């Protein structure tokens, strides 16, 4: 049902970011952040269910979580879209510091030659490649050793907006994501120290 909601949604906004430590190009699901009247209903319900379970997520992570984003985030990686290596270590004055990254892959029938692979790049260890799959959840603690990226989606990947009726509309590189945060001003320093990095080790991402 959630997959059908995403495939059926028509409004996706291109987002491009070229920072000093990270770059990306992607298409995010666009809908009202005020009353969600034009948002996929099952996506909103799923997102709200996650946010209502902060206590359970806190028990899982052994950290007192304080916040889950107020609006759902879904991404469609179209041809040319990608994300460069980054670790999700971000803090924000209003929402706090990211403590758990949540990435749900909702991709069906994807072929390796279409790119869009999720790469896990732990420092000092061998890189791991994960092909886009359906109903696959990635949970991890943003830290100096949580580097990851999404390889560029190739021009041959199905895209109904580019290839018209010839494209299979169900074959899309889709994810639903979000970050549970904490209101601890020392969290980044604690995590950096935990993995043996200096306390000022942080990444720069758009707020």
């Amino acid at each position: 049902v959630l997959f059908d909601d995403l495939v059926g949604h028509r409004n996706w906004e291109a987002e491009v970011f070229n920072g000093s430590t990270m770059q990306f190009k992607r298409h995010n699901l666009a809908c009202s952040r005020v009353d969600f009247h034009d948002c996929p209903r099952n996506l909103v319900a799923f997102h709200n269910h996650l946010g209502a379970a902060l206590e359970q997520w806190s028990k899982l992570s052994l950290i007192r979580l304080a916040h889950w984003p107020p609006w759902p985030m879904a991404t469609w990686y179209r041809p040319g879209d990608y994300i460069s290596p980054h670790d999700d270590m971000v803090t924000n004055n209003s929402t706090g510091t990211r403590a758990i990254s949540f990435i749900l892959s909702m991709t069906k029938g994807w072929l390796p030659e279409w790119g869009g692979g999720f790469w896990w790049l732990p420092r000092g260890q061998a890189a791991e490649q994960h092909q886009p799959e359906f109903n696959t959840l990635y949970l991890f603690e943003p830290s100096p050793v949580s580097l990851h990226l999404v390889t560029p989606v190739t021009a041959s990947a199905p895209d109904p907006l580019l290839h018209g009726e010839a494209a299979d509309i169900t074959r899309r590189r889709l994810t639903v994501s979000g970050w549970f945060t904490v209101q601890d001003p020392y969290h980044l320093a604690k995590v950096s120290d935990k993995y043996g990095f200096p306390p000022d080790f942080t990444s720069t991402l758009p707020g």
Side-chain angles (χ1 to χ4, degrees):
V1 175
L2 179 57
F3 175 81
D4 292 339
D5 257 7
L6 295 176
V7 170
H9 192 73
R10 294 177 177 270
N11 193 8
W12 298 81
E13 292 181 340
E15 181 183 16
V16 178
F17 177 74
N18 291 299
S20 59
T21 61
M22 177 188 176
Q23 303 79 41
F24 63 70
K25 178 178 178 289
R26 62 191 180 190
H27 287 75
N28 296 326
L29 182 143
C31 62
S32 172
R33 293 186 176 183
V34 178
D35 57 12
F36 306 123
H37 71 277
D38 57 346
C39 296
R41 292 188 177 183
N42 291 299
L43 175 63
V44 172
F46 176 69
H47 180 84
N48 290 341
H49 175 73
L50 294 173
L54 276 181
E55 183 177 349
Q56 286 74 22
W57 289 104
S58 295
K59 292 178 180 178
L60 174 67
S61 62
L62 302 180
I63 301 173
R64 185 169 182 77
L65 301 172
H67 185 267
W68 173 249
W71 56 82
M73 178 175 177
T75 303
W76 174 17
Y77 291 92
R78 300 180 60 201
D81 289 358
Y82 72 99
I83 300 183
S84 70
H86 62 288
D87 55 30
D88 281 3
M89 291 183 70
V90 176
T91 189
N92 183 289
N93 290 335
S94 60
T95 60
T97 303
R98 293 178 181 177
I100 300 178
S101 292
F102 178 104
I103 304 173
L104 177 62
S105 177
M106 296 293 292
T107 304
K108 289 185 176 182
W110 196 257
L111 300 181
E113 54 263 36
W114 294 338
F118 178 84
W119 281 81
W120 184 255
L121 308 170
R123 297 175 187 272
Q125 301 180 39
E128 302 174 6
Q129 181 182 13
H130 302 272
Q131 289 298 327
E133 295 181 332
F134 178 67
N135 205 27
T136 300
L137 177 62
Y138 301 96
L139 285 175
F140 58 89
E141 177 183 51
S143 74
V145 298
S146 65
L147 281 172
H148 55 287
L149 62 82
V150 174
T151 61
V153 174
T154 67
S156 61
D159 189 310
L161 300 184
L162 296 176
H163 307 143
E165 295 181 358
D168 185 345
I169 64 171
T170 66
R171 293 192 176 192
R172 302 191 191 187
R173 185 20 173 122
L174 296 168
T175 61
V176 174
S177 57
W179 299 271
F180 293 96
T181 62
V182 294
Q183 291 291 348
D184 179 357
Y186 303 105
H187 183 76
L188 284 180
K190 292 175 182 177
V191 172
S192 296
D193 182 67
K194 174 180 176 180
Y195 292 97
F197 284 79
D200 61 347
F201 186 96
T202 58
S203 293
T204 301
L205 294 176

